[in-house]
Amino acid sequence: MKLPISKPYLMSGVLLLLLVWPFLWGGDNAYALYIACLIGIYTILCLGLNITIGYTGLLDLGFMAFYAIGAYTAAILSIHGVSFWLTLPVCVLVGGGVRYLLGLPVLKLRGDYLAIVTLAFGEIVRLVANNTVGLTNGPKGLPRVGEKISEIRLFGWSLNDTIHFYYLILAFVLLAVLVSHRLEHSRLGRAFVAIREDELAAELSGIHVARVKSVAFVISGMFGALAGAIYAHWIGFVSPEMFTFWESVFLVAMIVVGGMGNIGGVVLGVILLVGVPEILRSTLGAKFVDYRMLVFGVVMVAVIIFRPQGLIPSKRRSLELHTPEAE
Amino acid sequence: MLNIENLSVAYGKIAAIKEVSLHLDAGEIVAIIGANGAGKSTLINAVSGVVPVQSGTVRFQDAEIHKMPAWKIARQGVVQIPEGRKVFPKMTVRENLEMGAYAEKNAADTLRHAEEMETMFPVLRERRNQLAGTLSGGEQQMLAIARGLMARPKLLMFDEPSMGLSPVMVEKVFQIIRTIHQQGITVLLVEQNAKKSLQIAERAYVLETGRITLADTGANLLENALVKRAYLGIAS
Ligand SMILES: Nc1ncnc2c1ncn2[C@@H]1O[C@H](COP(=O)(O)OP(=O)(O)OP(=O)(O)O)[C@@H](O)[C@H]1O
Ligand SMILES: [Mg+2]
């Protein structure tokens, strides 16, 4: 796709728009900010998942598990009065650590098997959250009555308004985009793609395939936990039903619709599948909720028929789907 | 340089390589010829570490490489150019070259080396930004060889490099192998094209259903009655 303006200008324009976005709505339109924050959180999440699915080609159907791990860790720590700025790195480390342990047995599997086992892991995490009442308060969620997820404090300020969270989330989205971009163009990022393309050839080129896969897996888990931790502080509540299998499938769908392995594509996918349904729900009323899955299904089918490589494909993926494999 | 002793490899219960012993001296060019299913790829893959060894040893310059993982073996300088080329189809030609030098962390060095490869294989310069999957079979073979050279191999193993190529291209590939050997790289060549292989190899082994049945100089094997009948299609 040829853009009418050069990339740096486009980027600066988008950044400027994001910075003034709240003021376009008078600074206090809670709904516009809510949607923007939600898109931001999902962007971080999907950029994380994109590292495994998009770059490395590892199909993960239980990614919500890491969002849940981040959210619960943050909620539990914060209820006990731990500061957000300490909670955040702990959540990222816990998410990465669990992801590493999961990877040890799971990354030996390929394709469909990996998808099934990650799916199962996602369900296990949800069930654990549902049943370890002592730690998570089970289906009722955290915080318990009388408890509170503590406010985020920054330079003596308390972040308690949606607009504060808007800028906080924006900062982390930019960080996630930057990390993804750097990764994509690094030696490690090339190794991810090489593994996706031909694992045997990658190994023969001296790439420690098992370790590189593990690194991809861990980094993506960290993104997921980061998003979860921010979400828990923003909404101030976590419960197991937020992390169902369907949510994990939605994440994969966002990446597929937008364009796997492409940062801009992932962002677009999130806007379409998170933002548009939210806006429709507010304009069409609660009745729309009943049709949401239908609309979603139609969009998916349309994309798969008309643009199987996603709306903004990475150059590699589009080739993959349009030319027969050269053998 | 490479010493294989009593090597056996099996896929499940099916033995593919049975007690094979062979060796390569530094600077040699040695061929292994055999029919479909003889175990040629299995042998090379066992040396590369992508197929587990059942018993026996593989030593490379005193290191017992059969105990190493494949990526580490590649970094010892034992590099394979796999059957069917296996370029990275959605990477550009240049990126493929860079992947070959993955172990080399000095970017300037890699760049210089990639340019040397483009001088050796001019077609890769013309196609620098083309995706490798869109190259012709012959071009892909050039790329696979160049990618292998990017790893600065001490021992380069070719698995059927002439497979599926036109006669002109086959000629060219063998010419390149000869050049690589003249540059001082030790070469192990696995081929079904027995005639060409025996012509350029100093020594050669014949592999039949997992066993080595003949070992001699390339020139002698070209005159061997059994080889003539079975691999060169000459009735005697
Ligand atoms: N992954 C595998 N699983 C089971 N059996 C295998 C596997 N790979 C190879 N074999 C078997 O091992 C034997 C040797 O195969 P190999 O690929 O080494 O032969 P080759 O000499 O390279 O043949 P070709 O000239 O056709 O490439 C064959 O009988 C083959 O069927
Ligand atoms: Mg073979």
Side-chain angles (χ1 to χ4, degrees):
Chain A
M1 188 169 53
K2 194 93 186 84
L3 293 173
I5 53 174
S6 73
K7 212 164 174 185
Y9 282 113
L10 180 70
M11 289 296 154
S12 317
V14 169
L15 187 60
L16 194 68
L17 178 68
L18 289 173
L19 286 174
V20 301
W21 173 260
F23 300 101
L24 298 181
W25 303 89
D28 57 354
N29 186 324
Y31 197 67
L33 287 178
Y34 168 79
I35 292 179
C37 288
L38 203 60
I39 290 174
I41 297 264
Y42 272 89
T43 300
I44 299 172
L45 203 51
C46 285
L47 285 175
L49 186 57
N50 183 47
I51 294 170
T52 39
I53 297 191
Y55 297 157
T56 322
L58 303 167
L59 184 51
D60 182 344
L61 289 183
F63 194 61
M64 268 293 171
F66 293 88
Y67 189 52
I69 287 169
Y72 270 101
T73 309
I76 291 165
L77 290 177
S78 161
I79 286 168
H80 289 92
V82 181
S83 138
F84 174 73
W85 303 107
L86 183 61
T87 301
L88 205 60
V90 171
C91 289
V92 168
L93 287 180
V94 170
V98 174
R99 189 81 159 160
Y100 173 75
L101 295 176
L102 174 67
L104 291 180
V106 159
L107 286 178
K108 296 202 177 81
L109 306 169
R110 279 163 202 237
D112 321 355
Y113 296 102
L114 179 67
I116 291 166
V117 176
T118 50
L119 185 160
F121 182 76
E123 283 301 282
I124 290 170
V125 167
R126 190 178 61 80
L127 290 173
V128 168
N130 218 8
N131 293 305
T132 53
V133 178
L135 192 65
T136 64
N137 200 25
K140 283 188 252 139
L142 287 175
R144 298 176 184 84
V145 179
E147 291 175 342
K148 188 167 167 302
I149 291 183
S150 56
E151 281 175 349
I152 301 174
R153 298 193 62 80
L154 181 63
F155 307 127
W157 290 33
S158 282
L159 308 191
N160 45 24
D161 207 8
T162 311
I163 192 165
H164 298 153
F165 277 98
Y166 175 81
Y167 285 107
L168 181 80
I169 291 170
L170 179 58
F172 281 104
V173 168
L174 294 179
L175 181 71
V177 168
L178 194 72
V179 170
S180 289
H181 184 264
R182 290 298 294 268
L183 203 55
E184 191 176 330
H185 294 91
S186 69
R187 185 165 169 271
L188 184 62
R190 290 273 177 74
F192 290 163
V193 176
I195 289 172
R196 188 189 79 203
E197 300 221 328
D198 197 313
E199 222 175 292
L200 180 70
E203 186 96 33
L204 289 174
S205 303
I207 297 174
H208 189 341
V209 170
R211 187 160 69 203
V212 172
K213 273 187 182 178
S214 174
V215 170
F217 215 53
V218 168
I219 296 176
S220 74
M222 289 174 153
F223 273 60
L226 176 77
I230 298 172
Y231 181 77
H233 276 88
W234 170 41
I235 298 293
F237 177 71
V238 281
S239 77
E241 84 218 28
M242 296 167 172
F243 311 107
T244 59
F245 164 64
W246 284 109
E247 289 289 329
S248 292
V249 172
F250 275 134
L251 297 183
V252 176
M254 289 170 206
I255 294 178
V256 171
V257 167
M260 267 193 242
N262 178 297
I263 296 171
V266 170
V267 176
L268 184 64
V270 172
I271 291 174
L272 282 180
L273 294 188
V274 175
V276 173
E278 276 296 330
I279 292 165
L280 287 181
R281 189 174 63 163
S282 69
T283 52
L284 299 182
K287 252 196 314 197
F288 170 70
V289 175
D290 302 337
Y291 295 102
R292 201 154 60 154
M293 293 302 275
L294 182 67
V295 172
F296 178 78
V298 170
V299 170
M300 282 299 284
V301 171
V303 167
I304 284 165
I305 291 173
F306 296 110
R307 274 188 85 83
Q309 70 276 39
L311 296 173
I312 312 182
S314 74
K315 66 174 185 201
R316 303 185 207 289
R317 282 280 169 179
S318 60
L319 181 83
E320 204 160 312
L321 285 150
H322 278 307
T323 56
E325 198 75 31
E327 283 299 325
Chain B
M1 187 180 223
L2 183 77
N3 260 295
I4 300 177
E5 274 170 34
N6 297 321
L7 181 75
S8 296
V9 178
Y11 297 104
K13 284 193 175 142
I14 306 160
I17 292 290
K18 302 160 198 161
E19 310 240 307
V20 164
S21 297
L22 61 84
H23 70 95
L24 263 84
D25 296 329
E28 261 192 317
I29 175 166
V30 172
I32 297 175
I33 58 172
N36 286 116
K40 305 179 300 295
S41 297
T42 303
L43 180 59
I44 264 195
N45 283 332
V47 174
S48 277
V50 290
V51 162
V53 166
Q54 189 183 31
S55 63
T57 57
V58 182
R59 273 182 293 123
F60 177 71
Q61 294 182 329
D62 301 327
E64 300 205 307
I65 59 171
H66 63 280
K67 294 179 179 159
M68 291 181 188
W71 63 272
K72 213 171 200 171
I73 294 173
R75 292 187 186 194
Q76 306 292 309
V78 179
V79 174
Q80 175 188 160
I81 295 166
E83 188 173 347
R85 335 204 198 297
K86 295 205 183 300
V87 296
F88 300 113
K90 287 76 155 194
M91 288 184 164
T92 65
V93 167
R94 177 50 81 80
E95 286 170 337
N96 265 270
L97 291 181
E98 288 166 359
M99 288 320 298
Y102 185 76
E104 170 60 63
K105 292 192 174 100
N106 182 333
D109 209 57
T110 300
L111 181 66
R112 203 170 331 111
H113 200 181
E115 275 161 6
E116 278 168 39
M117 285 303 123
E118 288 177 348
T119 309
M120 186 166 168
F121 303 94
V123 66
L124 300 184
R125 178 168 290 147
E126 287 162 33
R127 304 291 161 120
R128 185 185 288 168
N129 297 316
Q130 189 172 327
L131 295 173
T134 63
L135 297 176
S136 76
E139 290 163 348
Q140 286 191 22
Q141 187 62 60
M142 298 296 142
L143 179 58
I145 294 173
R147 183 182 65 186
L149 288 170
M150 286 295 291
R152 300 201 185 277
K154 294 173 188 151
L155 168 63
L156 195 54
M157 305 187 289
F158 293 85
D159 193 349
E160 299 202 36
S162 74
M163 196 214 286
L165 300 182
S166 69
V168 177
M169 209 62 210
V170 170
E171 204 58 53
K172 197 165 170 187
V173 165
F174 276 94
Q175 187 53 51
I176 288 164
I177 295 172
R178 192 172 282 137
T179 310
I180 289 170
H181 174 236
Q182 282 161 1
Q183 289 172 357
I185 296 172
T186 311
V187 172
L188 179 61
L189 172 63
V190 159
E191 261 293 349
Q192 284 197 51
N193 189 331
K195 188 172 177 211
K196 289 234 160 313
S197 313
L198 294 177
Q199 281 170 350
I200 71 168
E202 291 160 352
R203 290 188 303 116
Y205 296 88
V206 175
L207 191 65
E208 275 175 34
T209 56
R211 288 183 201 282
I212 287 182
T213 52
L214 281 171
D216 208 331
T217 62
N220 282 351
L221 285 177
L222 272 174
E223 298 304 320
N224 183 298
L226 283 172
V227 173
K228 273 186 175 170
R229 198 167 36 208
Y231 298 101
L232 302 173
I234 303 167
S236 52

